Amino acid sequence: MHEWQAAHLFVGVRNVNEDFFTSDITTLFINSSCGIFPTIAASYPIANYPFSGLTVYFDVSRGGWTFRNSLYNGTGYNGWKRRDNPFLVRPAKDGVFNISQLEYAHSGAHYFAGVAVHSRQYTVGTDGEMPSADAAAHKTTCAWWAYAEQPVWSAADHCVTCMAQYSENTCHQSACYRYAEVGCAYCDSLNQCGLSAQCARFRQGTEHSVELTYRRQLNRHIALQPSFQYINNTEGNFTALCARLYYSF
């Protein structure tokens, strides 16, 4: 790793969660805490947590603009065997995966757009099973996305922020080829609460979900965040109640 005043270069084992997609509002919601659009995460066997891979990553910033780019081995790994470890570089078998993202931040607003390109096409069946790298077509496909996060009201330490994001995959036979989300969050020095709605088009059918979450800072070190989710898809209607406990020091 090497850092300049306005740039950063990294070569080594990494995963896409570390650099792309996330923002202050998206990380509040548990449903999208992975940060990665399903048009990418569900459609390619990439270095997405818990998988990693060898990466050449760099970013360059100027003013409120930031450009990021990562070049990965086309498949992520999490084993420690000869043929299953994150240090493998096999473009002939696994393909090549590249992500580029352009960001702009100003006065609390945050916008970004990007594209992910894979040298393989992973066409899944209606059962959702992804083919192996050997069975994937040697055809380049990509997914693109856009995200906007805009404060709409603020007073002292109180703030209301709205967000919207959209993504598509160029291959409609991929596991997920369309995704959209809208949401709103209120924040102050001790509280954060948010409401968001998501829609994802999978090969198995369309899934809709809604999340209501609330985070309370109990003291300087501990915060608690319960979350309620309602999910509707071809399998039926579901609800989920979960919670995060934060401890910072």
Side-chain angles (χ1 to χ4, degrees):
M1 180 178 69
H2 186 77
E3 293 185 1
W4 293 270
Q5 185 174 359
H8 175 209
L9 174 67
F10 175 91
V11 180
V13 172
R14 204 174 181 94
N15 65 61
V16 294
N17 305 79
E18 298 185 49
D19 308 305
F20 298 92
F21 315 105
T22 57
S23 69
D24 291 340
I25 301 302
T26 57
T27 53
L28 172 65
F29 295 104
I30 292 178
N31 182 285
S32 60
S33 61
C34 64
I36 299 178
F37 297 102
T39 51
I40 302 170
S43 300
Y44 304 114
I46 55 172
N48 178 29
Y49 180 84
F51 301 97
S52 295
L54 276 178
T55 306
V56 178
Y57 165 83
F58 74 88
D59 61 55
V60 179
S61 300
R62 184 170 184 177
W65 295 90
T66 301
F67 177 75
R68 307 176 188 272
N69 193 89
S70 279
L71 180 65
Y72 300 85
N73 183 61
T75 299
Y77 296 91
N78 69 343
W80 293 103
K81 301 177 182 178
R82 180 181 178 185
R83 300 182 185 277
D84 179 16
N85 69 80
F87 298 94
L88 294 174
V89 179
R90 304 189 297 188
K93 180 179 180 180
D94 297 337
V96 176
F97 181 65
N98 189 85
I99 296 183
S100 301
Q101 181 171 282
L102 181 64
E103 305 177 21
Y104 178 70
H106 179 70
S107 299
H110 192 187
Y111 306 93
F112 56 70
V115 61
V117 180
H118 204 298
S119 62
R120 297 287 187 273
Q121 177 178 303
Y122 292 85
T123 303
V124 301
T126 55
D127 59 357
E129 290 295 323
M130 185 179 297
S132 65
D134 294 328
H138 287 235
K139 179 181 179 181
T140 299
T141 59
C142 71
W144 62 270
W145 63 90
Y147 175 84
E149 181 178 297
Q150 177 68 50
V152 294
W153 176 82
S154 62
D157 63 343
H158 305 270
C159 180
V160 175
T161 304
C162 292
M163 59 83 78
Q165 55 187 0
Y166 182 79
S167 177
E168 280 197 16
N169 193 297
T170 58
C171 176
H172 282 205
Q173 285 72 48
S174 58
C176 179
Y177 59 89
R178 185 172 297 147
Y179 175 77
E181 180 180 7
V182 293
C184 185
Y186 165 82
C187 303
D188 61 31
S189 58
L190 295 177
N191 305 282
Q192 288 181 284
C193 60
L195 176 67
S196 72
Q198 303 89 22
C199 177
R201 297 291 300 272
F202 292 91
R203 285 278 286 166
Q204 304 98 310
T206 301
E207 180 174 278
H208 300 90
S209 60
V210 177
E211 178 180 353
L212 177 64
T213 188
Y214 171 67
R215 174 177 172 174
R216 172 70 177 182
Q217 192 72 37
L218 301 178
N219 56 46
R220 193 174 69 176
H221 301 288
I222 299 174
L224 181 64
Q225 181 186 353
S227 172
F228 172 79
Q229 298 180 44
Y230 170 78
I231 302 165
N232 168 265
N233 55 36
T234 54
E235 299 296 324
N237 299 309
F238 306 90
T239 57
L241 180 64
C242 53
R244 282 174 171 165
L245 178 65
Y246 298 82
Y247 180 74
S248 56
F249 55 92

